[in-house]
């Protein structure tokens, strides 16, 4: 019985891997974004989800997404929509990368802006994605660290997390899972592993 279950599990994993390998993610750097960071995320997404990634030529951030409500930054929701609208037919997903600060309106479960409005109408974030969807964006602005290794690990976790949403994975209650809700806390990201819990693996399969 155990052998049958093992074979079945391997079959499911193979099917999931084959399906994702048919898909392509365009890694879109914005502005003067370091090549080593772009390549790191392209490899991290490819290895983690067994999916094809293609690094796209760098482009300027969409001016229409710029805001100065609290400080100079870019609206992540608008960036996602622009990426979705301008996505090449050869790509299934677009994952944007920027060093600029990004933001979104923070809403409650009923879709209303959280109060006080002045605090949540333009809320700084590390990344954003539709769940499911074909467009997401990640910023390095809020995950800086003096140790490059820690910085790159945070960066990979946030990118893997946001792209997981595009694949349909919701936030996970397991605080060690990479899909846990970071609630915009770097400490939560540091405590999570760069791995999916069993429940999230099953959902992805």
């Amino acid at each position: 019985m155990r052998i049958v279950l093992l074979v079945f599990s391997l079959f499911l994993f193979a099917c999931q891997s084959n399906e994702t390998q048919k898909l392509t993610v365009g890694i879109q750097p914005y502005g003067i974004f370091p090549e080593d960071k772009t390549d790191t995320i392209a490899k991290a997404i490819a290895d983690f989800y067994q999916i094809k990634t293609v690094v796209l030529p760098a482009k300027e951030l969409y001016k229409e997404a710029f805001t100065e409500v609290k400080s100079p930054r870019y609206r992540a929701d608008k960036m996602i929509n622009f990426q979705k609208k301008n996505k090449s037919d050869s790509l299934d997903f677009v994952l944007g990368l920027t060093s600029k600060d990004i933001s979104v309106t923070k809403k409650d479960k009923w879709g209303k802006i959280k109060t006080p409005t002045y605090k949540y109408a333009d809320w700084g974030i590390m990344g954003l994605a539709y769940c499911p969807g074909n467009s997401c964006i990640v910023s390095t602005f809020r995950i800086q660290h003096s140790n490059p290794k820690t910085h790159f690990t945070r960066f990979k976790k946030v990118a893997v997390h946001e792209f997981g949403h595009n694949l349909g994975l919701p936030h996970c209650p397991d605080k060690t899972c990479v899909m846990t809700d970071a609630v915009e806390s770097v400490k939560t990201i540091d405590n999570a592993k760069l791995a999916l819990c069993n429940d999230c693996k099953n959902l992805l399969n």
Side-chain angles (χ1 to χ4, degrees), residues 62-163:
Y62 294 99
K63 294 180 180 179
E64 298 90 338
F66 183 72
T67 181
E68 288 186 286
V69 172
K70 288 185 180 178
S71 60
R73 49 196 185 191
Y74 291 81
R75 293 284 302 190
D77 48 349
K78 287 188 177 181
M79 289 297 299
I80 287 176
N81 286 330
F82 284 128
Q83 287 180 169
K84 181 179 179 181
K85 181 180 179 181
N86 296 303
K87 180 180 69 64
S88 167
D89 291 338
S90 64
L91 300 174
D92 298 287
F93 305 90
V94 177
L95 193 165
L97 305 175
T98 179
S99 59
K100 301 294 184 181
D101 197 12
I102 58 176
S103 62
V104 72
T105 298
K106 204 171 181 76
K107 299 180 180 180
D108 60 25
K109 61 182 180 180
W110 295 283
K112 295 181 179 180
I113 299 176
K114 287 192 172 184
T115 53
T117 303
Y118 73 85
K119 182 177 181 181
Y120 297 111
D122 196 69
W123 184 260
I125 55 176
M126 293 169 272
L128 187 69
Y130 290 136
C131 181
N134 60 5
S135 177
C136 61
I137 188 162
V138 176
S139 168
T140 60
F141 188 86
R142 296 175 180 270
I143 55 175
Q144 299 299 325
H145 196 278
S146 57
N147 185 327
K149 182 178 180 180
T150 300
H151 173 68
F152 271 81
T153 299
R154 287 175 175 176
F155 192 22
K156 286 187 283 187
K157 287 179 182 178
V158 175
V160 165
H161 175 103
E162 298 304 341
F163 187 66

Side-chain angles (χ1 to χ4, degrees), residues 30-66:
Y30 288 103
I32 304 174
F33 197 82
E35 287 186 16
D36 59 338
K37 291 185 178 181
T38 303
D39 293 340
T40 293
I41 296 306
K43 186 176 187 306
I45 295 296
D47 292 346
F48 195 92
Y49 290 108
Q50 294 298 294
I51 194 169
K52 181 182 178 182
T53 56
V54 176
V55 175
L56 305 174
K59 61 165 46 175
E60 292 303 312
L61 283 158
Y62 294 99
K63 294 180 180 179
E64 298 90 338
F66 183 72

